[in-house]
Amino acid sequence: MTTGSVPLKVTIVEDDASFRSSFVAAVDAAEDMVLHAVAENVAQAMALLAGAPADILVVDLGLPDGSGIEVIRAAHGAWPECGIMVSTTFADDRHVIPSIEAGAAGYLLKDSSASRMADDIRTLHSGGSPISPRIARKILLRFRPVEAPAQPLLSPREKQALELITKGFSYDEIAELMGVTRNTVMTFVRRIYQKLEVSSKAEAIFEARSHGLL
């Protein structure tokens, strides 16, 4: 039982009759919980929010008359002390992040057993954030810093040759300025093309500037 033997009041917003029945059964089987209310769509849920608050609100996202995110956002304002948890089949960024931003503190996929459902409710009420492993990974990946693409590494001599090419010098002129043979300049050019993955002078100059090499 919860502190003072007062059971947790749990409300569910769910249109799938089978899952709704399983969830209600899980709550009924838990001695420290009581079913507060049930809604099957957004309209019914909004009407419930005008009444006495629940301790825990479990919301499906794919409702017949709208998105459960609307309910989460409204509940976050109407029942500020209520813990809100998503239970859904949606695992994509279009649903996960907006749900959390709207006020959900837990996000579970509909693959939990009845005992797990009850444990997740307890975790949420005690200040935790029950989240399915797949969802946790998705959230972590979203906030991982994007690695900058590696810059193609040109040797000092290759970079010098490229700078002279950019200025319009011919291969013979570049060879003289660098104090090497024309064949050596051609070798530099071939390596530059390979590293920048290009096939012409214009492309080489464009890519070099894009990578900050010029």
Side-chain angles (χ1 to χ4, degrees):
M1 297 289 285
T2 58
T3 303
S5 298
V6 178
L8 293 176
K9 299 189 292 286
V10 182
T11 289
I12 181 172
V13 182
E14 171 63 63
D15 68 313
D16 183 273
S18 177
F19 182 84
R20 189 171 63 243
S21 296
S22 297
F23 187 89
V24 170
V27 171
D28 288 342
E31 295 182 357
D32 56 345
M33 300 176 197
V34 63
L35 189 64
H36 181 65
V38 175
E40 299 180 14
N41 52 48
V42 173
Q44 292 178 9
M46 292 301 189
L48 288 177
L49 294 177
D55 296 308
I56 299 294
L57 175 65
V58 180
V59 184
D60 184 18
L61 298 183
L63 299 172
D65 58 342
S67 170
I69 295 175
E70 299 175 50
V71 177
I72 294 170
R73 189 175 294 111
H76 190 59
W79 294 352
E81 301 301 319
C82 177
I84 304 172
M85 182 165 64
V86 172
S87 183
T88 186
T89 57
F90 298 122
D92 57 285
D93 288 347
R94 189 165 59 90
H95 294 92
V96 175
I97 303 303
S99 297
I100 294 173
E101 291 175 342
Y107 199 109
L108 302 171
L109 298 180
K110 290 182 178 179
D111 56 3
S112 298
S113 64
S115 60
R116 171 69 186 276
M117 292 178 194
D119 287 340
D120 289 333
I121 290 173
R122 296 183 185 102
T123 297
L124 183 63
H125 185 68
S126 64
S129 294
I131 297 178
S132 294
R134 281 173 57 197
I135 301 302
R137 179 174 177 79
K138 184 176 291 292
I139 294 171
L140 289 172
L141 289 174
R142 179 181 175 86
F143 291 102
R144 178 180 296 173
V146 177
E147 296 181 1
Q151 291 188 358
L153 182 62
L154 299 183
S155 70
R157 295 293 270 173
E158 290 166 354
K159 187 174 181 181
Q160 182 184 7
L162 183 56
E163 289 172 346
L164 292 171
I165 291 172
T166 303
K167 293 176 181 178
F169 290 104
S170 68
Y171 291 157
D172 289 330
E173 290 171 331
I174 293 172
E176 184 177 350
L177 289 169
M178 294 182 68
V180 297
T181 66
R182 189 179 193 278
N183 284 340
T184 299
V185 173
M186 295 300 294
T187 298
F188 289 153
V189 172
R190 185 173 65 253
R191 290 175 181 169
I192 291 168
Y193 283 14
Q194 289 175 343
K195 290 180 178 180
L196 296 180
E197 298 180 352
V198 297
S199 58
S200 69
K201 291 181 183 179
E203 290 177 336
I205 293 170
F206 176 81
E207 288 297 325
R209 285 174 174 163
S210 299
H211 289 289
L213 299 173
L214 290 175

